[in-house]
Amino acid sequence: MQILVLGGTQFLGRHVVTAALERGHDVATFTRGTSGLPAPGARALHGDRDDPAALPRALADWAPDAVVDTSARTRAAARNAAAALGGVSRYAFVSSLNAYRGWPPGPVGPEDDEPTWDTEDDDYGPVKAFAEREIGAVVGPGFLTARAGLVVGPYDYVHRLGWWLERIARGGRVVVPAEGVAQPIALVDARDLAGWLVDGVEQGRGGAVNATGPAGMTTLGGLLDCCREVTGGDATWVPVPEAELLAAGVEPWIHLPMWLPAETARTAWDVDTTRARALGLPSRPLRETVADTWAWQPGDRRPVYSPMGLPRPGLPAELEADLLRRS
Ligand SMILES: NC(=O)c1ccc[n+]([C@@H]2O[C@H](COP(=O)([O-])OP(=O)(O)OC[C@H]3O[C@@H](n4cnc5c(N)ncnc54)[C@H](OP(=O)(O)O)[C@@H]3O)[C@@H](O)[C@H]2O)c1
């Protein structure tokens, strides 16, 4: 098949390209060209998807049989894709659990029972929900929307797992959320999701799928232990109670990535993935994900940055020193 990846050069999209090439497809990426080139073997088409003329221009000589869309960030991007690609009958769209009106805090039940956003604002979740509707309406039954949970793995520029790996590798006393370590969490390896998206367009699959790991696949503490095993070193955990973390100004999810206060965590990680499991979304061993992410980790060699104005994850040094002094 001729598979067009809208995106394809950074993280999840990069793995989609690799998976599609490995399966013998003819692959093109469509990007502005600011984030580098796709994997060798894919053709690089260029343009800004916010510009209505760009996709038709780029696709004048290359008509896709299927699309995997990892890069819709604006309403214009969704409208332009719908206008240019509505004739394509297989379209896998990467959405987010944020498309649900009730998440966070959740919980998220079966896909068809949960309302998505229908507001006009340009927040992340409402834009994802709009894009699902806009593109889904023109593609029809072969429109697959993967409402992704926490995506991790090599090339993850959002750097949530990456920050923990770096911090734990440095060793010494490491602040961890006292109540949070026992909290079940779930995540999906970008390579598992990528392969499954390609599989989805091969099969002509449609519908909405909560695309994340099985609820309870690990705990935050289990993930941190795994980071310590993989990086080696002498890190010891310093559990700090939630009330103290919040009083000190520690921002959940940002300063201690993947940590949510107990009240939110209890439901936010409770996502029904029955459909994802039935449709074969894999969940590789956590250790493999962590080890491969660490093996890729660019360290000082290349900057890892956060996209879309998200604050860079991690505990500021002064805040960490303050918490450790008191513990
Ligand atoms: N990380 C998570 O935990 C998480 C959770 C839920 C959902 N998601 C979703 O998963 C997807 C992750 O994607 P990714 O960033 O890893 O994918 P990616 O496809 O590897 O990278 C993003 C691509 O978008 C291209 N792009 C950005 N703006 C563009 C524009 N205006 N016109 C054309 N191309 C543009 C970038 O290339 P250029 O810069 O060269 O244009 C880049 O190739 C996103 O849709 C995100 O919302 C992520």
Side-chain angles (χ1 to χ4, degrees):
M1 272 198 293
Q2 297 209 154
I3 299 182
L4 173 67
V5 182
L6 293 180
T9 54
Q10 288 188 289
F11 173 37
L12 178 59
R14 175 195 290 264
H15 294 299
V16 170
V17 169
T18 305
L21 289 171
E22 279 171 6
R23 293 171 188 216
H25 296 295
D26 184 359
V27 181
T29 56
F30 177 82
T31 68
R32 294 163 303 181
T34 55
S35 305
L37 290 169
R43 75 188 69 202
L45 307 175
H46 288 132
D48 185 339
R49 61 180 296 180
D50 290 337
D51 169 6
L55 263 172
R57 196 167 46 230
L59 296 176
D61 301 320
W62 197 87
D65 303 305
V67 176
V68 181
D69 183 347
T70 54
S71 66
R73 295 173 180 178
T74 62
R75 287 174 188 260
R79 280 194 202 99
N80 296 337
L85 295 162
V88 175
S89 61
R90 294 158 187 245
Y91 196 119
F93 178 73
V94 179
S95 185
S96 164
L97 294 176
N98 289 92
Y100 291 119
R101 188 179 264 282
W103 192 90
V108 176
E111 293 80 352
D112 301 337
D113 299 348
E114 297 284 340
T116 55
W117 286 104
D118 57 2
T119 48
E120 301 292 317
D121 57 274
D122 285 330
D123 286 349
Y124 180 68
V127 169
K128 285 289 190 193
F130 171 81
E132 291 185 8
R133 283 193 298 277
E134 190 80 1
I135 307 170
V138 293
V139 172
F143 182 73
L144 174 68
T145 181
R147 294 181 183 144
L150 179 64
V151 187
V152 292
Y155 295 99
D156 179 4
Y157 57 86
V158 187
H159 205 47
R160 295 181 184 118
L161 174 57
W163 180 79
W164 278 114
L165 280 163
E166 272 175 10
R167 177 62 197 90
I168 290 168
R170 266 206 325 277
R173 299 170 74 225
V174 176
V175 171
V176 298
E179 297 88 344
V181 286
Q183 174 64 49
I185 65 167
L187 30 84
V188 60
D189 189 300
R191 296 163 297 179
D192 289 337
L193 181 53
W196 183 81
L197 290 165
V198 174
D199 194 46
V201 295
E202 285 173 347
Q203 308 286 326
R205 225 171 251 151
V209 181
N210 296 333
T212 189
M217 61 182 275
T218 186
T219 58
L220 181 56
L223 177 66
L224 301 185
D225 287 347
C226 189
C227 289
R228 183 168 53 186
E229 273 167 43
V230 161
T231 57
D234 64 355
T236 55
W237 306 145
V238 179
V240 179
E242 177 173 311
E244 275 179 46
L245 290 173
L246 295 172
V250 175
E251 286 184 50
W253 198 257
I254 307 297
H255 288 159
L256 292 178
M258 304 183 218
W259 167 62
L260 293 168
E263 182 57 24
T264 311
R266 201 169 42 77
T267 50
W269 296 104
D270 183 3
V271 176
D272 186 308
T273 62
T274 308
R275 188 177 284 174
R277 308 279 82 83
L279 293 176
L281 174 62
S283 181
R284 74 184 61 201
L286 181 67
R287 195 190 158 90
E288 195 179 316
T289 298
V290 172
D292 292 351
T293 305
W294 180 237
W296 162 77
Q297 193 95 348
D300 293 337
R301 283 169 282 140
R302 250 185 312 147
V304 176
Y305 61 97
S306 292
M308 296 179 283
L310 289 176
R312 199 183 166 106
L315 193 58
E318 326 76 68
L319 197 45
E320 181 183 48
D322 186 37
L323 289 163
L324 288 175
R325 221 180 358 258
R326 289 196 263 150
S327 300

